[in-house]
Amino acid sequence: MAKIVIVGAGLTGLSAAYHLEKRNFFDFTIFEKEPIAGGLCRSITQNGFTFDFTGHLLHTSDPYFKKFIADIVSFDNLETINRRSFVYSHDTFTRYPFQINLFGLPSSVIAECIQGYVERQKSRHKSHSFPQWVLQNFGSGFARHFFLPFQRKIFSYDLRGITASWTGRFVPKTSLQEMIQGAIQDNTDETIGYNAHFYYPKSGGIQFWIDKLRNQLTTPIHTNYQVEHIDMNKKIIRFTNGHEEEFGQLINTIPLDNFIHMLKEKPNTTFKHALTKLKCNSVVNFNLGINRPNLSEKHWIYFPEKQFPFYRVGFPHNFARSTAPANCSSLYGEFSHVNISKKRINLLLQASLHQIKKLLKIADNEILIEKVIHISHAYVIYNFWREKYLPSLLNQLANNHIFSIGRYGAWKYSSMQEAVLDGKKIAEQLTILPAKTSYYESPTPSQEKQKEWI
């Protein structure tokens, strides 16, 4: 029996393993259902093109994470890139962020956005929903022309049921002065926003740095191990290949809903009642290899308008030339869905391909390769249930020696930086503090009493 078992060898699981070893703790095992490690931080290389599982870019704001990258990968192996991102609406490309780059849009749209911002109804009270938050912070014009239609496309969910707690650093704030300046002239300042600067491997796609991290481990990763069920009472994990593993502490990084579904609970727990409340969407990631150089000089483009099924299109050849053969370009796009048929998904995919080929004037005979990747867990839905009850759920799991962390284990919207730091934090917690000390912030007394999810 290992003292610690890690389920999932995505970035968070690999980080937890790495930091356990850095603390000279080796009494752990790590299991991964796929043939290779990486989770969604993986790349596919075919016919000279390299495609990631959607856009993965390295952003750093934490000093430790920056040092971590330097130690694991070395910045000599990374491209240092200044963002070139745009929004396409009203037949116009405007720079990102939309709220300070109105230049080039129809005058009526500019006027509506600025007037809405000036007349917005501010409130000292916390916004109850994302639409309310947008109206309070940006006004009705920005809500109509960008924020609401764009987020509907990303989440594929009724925005009235989503909180604004996910916005944080992901939505840059603005001022009236910045807004007016960005409306009367082209604003070439690309330093605004958390992703203004980023790093990307010079070769191998995003998988390059995952492979570097994996190679740092001395503990082997058990691949092709799909969890069948977890017995909380006996503290045993059974895999579909028949293998059983006992654990003292369990670090879970697989999606929380999948994990709970496989949980054989104790008589006094009822985690499965949370299954209908844990919401997320799925994403279809389509990739094209194109026999044309310099298809676009942009890094990525956001599409808020309805006529485009996809919400984002990016160009990996502008992240690193190695992602496409000489004199070729590469493109990725994404659209989301929740509980729709395979037929409907295929129709959206065909519509997406038609629209992007039309917009970028790509002929069918220029397409050398088409690769479609289906991602079942993409964006976590920040519904009101999540905000109210998730901390209590995670703490109750921790009280049973199960620590569910990372983007999907902790059911949150987070970056690669946060995945690494989550792994570091749990390694420190489990090798320093008493076994029952919670990894998470302690819930308030009211949260402890809230049992509607049970």
Coordinates of all heavy atoms in Angstrom, one line a residue, residues 332-373:
Y332 N -6.5 26.4 -35.5 CA -7.4 25.6 -34.6 C -8.7 26.5 -34.3 O -8.6 27.7 -34.3 CB -6.7 25.2 -33.3 CG -6.5 26.3 -32.3 CD1 -7.4 26.7 -31.4 CD2 -5.3 27.0 -32.3 CE1 -7.2 27.7 -30.4 CE2 -5.0 28.1 -31.4 CZ -6.0 28.4 -30.5 OH -5.8 29.4 -29.6
G333 N -9.8 25.8 -34.1 CA -11.0 26.5 -33.7 C -11.7 25.7 -32.7 O -11.5 24.5 -32.5
E334 N -12.6 26.4 -32.0 CA -13.3 25.7 -30.9 C -14.8 26.2 -30.8 O -15.1 27.3 -31.0 CB -12.7 26.1 -29.5 CG -11.3 25.7 -29.4 CD -10.6 26.6 -28.3 OE1 -10.2 27.7 -28.6 OE2 -10.5 26.1 -27.2
F335 N -15.7 25.2 -30.6 CA -17.1 25.5 -30.3 C -17.5 24.6 -29.1 O -17.0 23.5 -29.0 CB -18.0 25.4 -31.5 CG -18.3 24.1 -32.0 CD1 -19.2 23.2 -31.5 CD2 -17.5 23.6 -33.1 CE1 -19.4 21.9 -32.0 CE2 -17.7 22.4 -33.7 CZ -18.7 21.5 -33.1
S336 N -18.4 25.1 -28.3 CA -18.8 24.3 -27.1 C -20.2 23.8 -27.3 O -21.0 24.2 -28.1 CB -18.7 25.2 -25.9 OG -19.7 26.2 -25.9
H337 N -20.6 22.8 -26.4 CA -21.9 22.3 -26.4 C -22.2 21.6 -25.1 O -21.3 21.2 -24.4 CB -22.1 21.3 -27.6 CG -21.2 20.1 -27.5 ND1 -21.5 18.9 -26.9 CD2 -19.9 19.9 -28.0 CE1 -20.6 18.0 -27.0 NE2 -19.6 18.6 -27.7
V338 N -23.5 21.5 -24.8 CA -23.9 20.8 -23.6 C -25.1 19.9 -24.0 O -26.1 20.4 -24.4 CB -24.3 21.8 -22.5 CG1 -24.9 21.0 -21.3 CG2 -23.1 22.6 -22.0
N339 N -25.0 18.6 -23.8 CA -26.1 17.7 -24.0 C -26.8 17.8 -25.3 O -28.0 18.0 -25.4 CB -27.1 17.8 -22.8 CG -26.5 17.5 -21.5 OD1 -25.6 16.6 -21.4 ND2 -27.0 18.2 -20.4
I340 N -26.0 17.7 -26.4 CA -26.7 17.7 -27.7 C -26.2 16.4 -28.4 O -25.3 15.8 -28.1 CB -26.3 19.0 -28.5 CG1 -24.8 19.0 -28.8 CG2 -26.7 20.2 -27.9 CD1 -24.4 20.1 -29.8
S341 N -27.0 16.1 -29.5 CA -26.8 14.8 -30.2 C -25.5 14.9 -31.0 O -25.0 16.0 -31.4 CB -28.0 14.5 -31.1 OG -28.0 15.5 -32.1
K342 N -25.0 13.7 -31.4 CA -23.8 13.6 -32.3 C -24.1 14.2 -33.6 O -23.3 14.8 -34.3 CB -23.4 12.2 -32.4 CG -22.8 11.6 -31.2 CD -22.3 10.1 -31.4 CE -21.7 9.5 -30.2 NZ -21.2 8.1 -30.4
K343 N -25.4 14.1 -34.1 CA -25.8 14.7 -35.3 C -25.7 16.2 -35.3 O -25.2 16.8 -36.2 CB -27.2 14.3 -35.7 CG -27.7 14.8 -37.0 CD -29.1 14.3 -37.3 CE -29.6 14.9 -38.6 NZ -31.0 14.5 -39.0
R344 N -26.1 16.8 -34.2 CA -26.1 18.2 -34.0 C -24.6 18.7 -33.9 O -24.3 19.7 -34.5 CB -26.9 18.6 -32.8 CG -26.8 20.1 -32.4 CD -27.4 21.0 -33.5 NE -27.4 22.4 -33.2 CZ -27.5 23.4 -34.1 NH1 -27.6 23.1 -35.4 NH2 -27.4 24.6 -33.7
I345 N -23.8 17.9 -33.2 CA -22.4 18.3 -33.1 C -21.7 18.3 -34.5 O -21.0 19.2 -34.9 CB -21.6 17.3 -32.2 CG1 -22.1 17.5 -30.8 CG2 -20.1 17.5 -32.3 CD1 -21.6 16.4 -29.8
N346 N -22.0 17.3 -35.3 CA -21.5 17.2 -36.7 C -21.9 18.4 -37.5 O -21.1 18.9 -38.3 CB -21.8 15.9 -37.3 CG -21.1 15.6 -38.6 OD1 -19.9 15.7 -38.6 ND2 -21.8 15.4 -39.7
L347 N -23.2 18.7 -37.4 CA -23.7 19.9 -38.2 C -23.0 21.2 -37.8 O -22.6 22.0 -38.6 CB -25.2 20.0 -37.9 CG -26.1 19.0 -38.6 CD1 -27.6 19.2 -38.1 CD2 -26.0 19.1 -40.1
L348 N -22.7 21.4 -36.5 CA -22.0 22.5 -36.0 C -20.6 22.5 -36.5 O -20.0 23.6 -36.9 CB -22.0 22.6 -34.5 CG -23.3 23.0 -33.8 CD1 -23.3 22.8 -32.3 CD2 -23.7 24.5 -34.1
L349 N -20.0 21.3 -36.5 CA -18.6 21.2 -37.0 C -18.5 21.6 -38.5 O -17.7 22.4 -38.9 CB -18.1 19.8 -36.8 CG -16.7 19.4 -37.4 CD1 -15.7 20.3 -36.8 CD2 -16.4 18.0 -37.2
Q350 N -19.5 21.1 -39.3 CA -19.5 21.4 -40.7 C -19.7 22.9 -41.0 O -19.1 23.5 -41.9 CB -20.5 20.5 -41.5 CG -20.2 19.0 -41.4 CD -18.8 18.7 -41.8 OE1 -18.3 19.2 -42.8 NE2 -18.1 17.8 -41.0
A351 N -20.6 23.4 -40.2 CA -20.9 24.9 -40.3 C -19.7 25.7 -39.9 O -19.4 26.7 -40.5 CB -22.1 25.3 -39.4
S352 N -19.0 25.3 -38.9 CA -17.8 26.0 -38.4 C -16.7 25.9 -39.5 O -16.1 27.0 -39.8 CB -17.2 25.3 -37.2 OG -18.1 25.5 -36.1
L353 N -16.5 24.8 -40.1 CA -15.5 24.7 -41.2 C -15.8 25.5 -42.4 O -15.0 26.2 -43.0 CB -15.3 23.2 -41.6 CG -14.7 22.3 -40.5 CD1 -14.8 20.8 -40.9 CD2 -13.2 22.6 -40.2
H354 N -17.1 25.5 -42.7 CA -17.6 26.3 -43.9 C -17.3 27.8 -43.6 O -16.8 28.5 -44.5 CB -19.1 26.0 -44.1 CG -19.7 26.9 -45.1 ND1 -19.4 26.8 -46.5 CD2 -20.5 28.0 -45.0 CE1 -20.1 27.7 -47.1 NE2 -20.7 28.5 -46.3
Q355 N -17.7 28.2 -42.4 CA -17.6 29.7 -42.1 C -16.1 30.1 -42.0 O -15.8 31.2 -42.5 CB -18.2 30.0 -40.7 CG -19.8 29.9 -40.8 CD -20.4 31.2 -41.3 OE1 -19.7 32.0 -41.9 NE2 -21.7 31.4 -41.1
I356 N -15.2 29.3 -41.4 CA -13.9 29.8 -41.3 C -13.2 29.7 -42.7 O -12.3 30.6 -43.0 CB -13.1 29.0 -40.2 CG1 -11.8 29.7 -39.8 CG2 -12.8 27.6 -40.7 CD1 -12.1 31.1 -39.2
K357 N -13.5 28.8 -43.5 CA -12.9 28.7 -44.8 C -13.4 29.9 -45.7 O -12.6 30.5 -46.4 CB -13.3 27.4 -45.5 CG -12.5 26.2 -45.0 CD -12.7 24.9 -45.8 CE -14.1 24.4 -45.7 NZ -14.2 23.1 -46.4
K358 N -14.6 30.3 -45.5 CA -15.2 31.4 -46.2 C -14.5 32.7 -45.7 O -14.1 33.6 -46.6 CB -16.7 31.5 -46.0 CG -17.4 32.6 -46.7 CD -18.9 32.6 -46.5 CE -19.6 33.8 -47.1 NZ -21.0 33.8 -46.8
L359 N -14.4 32.9 -44.4 CA -13.8 34.1 -43.9 C -12.4 34.3 -44.3 O -11.9 35.4 -44.6 CB -14.0 34.1 -42.3 CG -13.4 35.3 -41.6 CD1 -14.2 36.6 -42.0 CD2 -13.4 35.1 -40.1
L360 N -11.6 33.2 -44.2 CA -10.2 33.3 -44.5 C -9.8 32.9 -45.9 O -8.6 32.9 -46.2 CB -9.4 32.4 -43.5 CG -9.5 32.8 -42.0 CD1 -8.7 31.8 -41.1 CD2 -9.0 34.2 -41.8
K361 N -10.8 32.7 -46.7 CA -10.7 32.4 -48.1 C -9.7 31.2 -48.3 O -8.7 31.2 -49.1 CB -10.2 33.6 -48.9 CG -11.1 34.8 -48.9 CD -10.6 36.0 -49.6 CE -11.6 37.1 -49.8 NZ -12.1 37.6 -48.5
I362 N -10.0 30.1 -47.6 CA -9.3 28.9 -47.7 C -10.0 27.9 -48.7 O -11.1 27.6 -48.5 CB -9.1 28.2 -46.3 CG1 -8.5 29.1 -45.3 CG2 -8.4 26.9 -46.4 CD1 -8.5 28.6 -43.9
A363 N -9.3 27.5 -49.7 CA -9.8 26.6 -50.7 C -9.7 25.2 -50.2 O -8.7 24.9 -49.4 CB -9.1 26.7 -52.0
D364 N -10.6 24.3 -50.5 CA -10.6 22.9 -50.1 C -9.3 22.3 -50.5 O -8.7 21.4 -49.7 CB -11.7 22.2 -50.7 CG -13.1 22.5 -50.0 OD1 -13.0 23.0 -48.9 OD2 -14.1 22.3 -50.6
N365 N -8.7 22.6 -51.6 CA -7.5 21.9 -52.1 C -6.3 22.4 -51.3 O -5.2 21.9 -51.6 CB -7.3 22.0 -53.6 CG -7.2 23.4 -54.1 OD1 -7.1 24.4 -53.3 ND2 -7.2 23.6 -55.4
E366 N -6.4 23.5 -50.5 CA -5.3 23.9 -49.7 C -5.2 23.2 -48.4 O -4.2 23.3 -47.7 CB -5.4 25.4 -49.4 CG -5.2 26.4 -50.6 CD -5.3 27.8 -50.2 OE1 -6.5 28.2 -49.8 OE2 -4.3 28.5 -50.3
I367 N -6.2 22.5 -48.0 CA -6.3 21.8 -46.7 C -5.5 20.5 -46.8 O -6.0 19.6 -47.5 CB -7.7 21.6 -46.2 CG1 -8.4 23.0 -46.0 CG2 -7.7 20.8 -44.9 CD1 -9.8 22.9 -45.7
L368 N -4.4 20.4 -46.1 CA -3.6 19.2 -46.2 C -4.0 18.2 -45.1 O -3.8 16.9 -45.3 CB -2.1 19.5 -46.0 CG -1.5 20.5 -47.0 CD1 -0.1 20.8 -46.6 CD2 -1.6 19.8 -48.4
I369 N -4.5 18.6 -44.0 CA -4.9 17.8 -42.9 C -6.0 18.4 -42.1 O -6.1 19.6 -41.9 CB -3.7 17.4 -42.0 CG1 -4.1 16.4 -40.9 CG2 -3.1 18.7 -41.4 CD1 -2.9 15.9 -40.1
E370 N -6.9 17.6 -41.7 CA -8.0 18.0 -40.8 C -8.1 17.1 -39.6 O -8.2 15.9 -39.8 CB -9.4 18.0 -41.5 CG -10.5 18.4 -40.6 CD -11.9 18.3 -41.4 OE1 -11.9 18.8 -42.6 OE2 -12.9 17.8 -40.8
K371 N -7.9 17.6 -38.4 CA -7.9 16.8 -37.2 C -8.9 17.4 -36.2 O -8.8 18.6 -35.8 CB -6.5 16.8 -36.5 CG -6.4 15.9 -35.4 CD -6.4 14.4 -35.9 CE -6.2 13.4 -34.7 NZ -6.2 12.0 -35.2
V372 N -9.9 16.5 -35.8 CA -10.9 17.0 -34.8 C -10.7 16.3 -33.5 O -10.5 15.1 -33.4 CB -12.3 16.7 -35.4 CG1 -13.4 17.1 -34.4 CG2 -12.5 17.4 -36.7
I373 N -10.7 17.1 -32.4 CA -10.5 16.5 -31.1 C -11.7 16.9 -30.2 O -12.1 18.0 -30.2 CB -9.2 17.1 -30.4 CG1 -8.0 16.8 -31.2 CG2 -9.1 16.6 -29.0 CD1 -6.7 17.6 -30.8

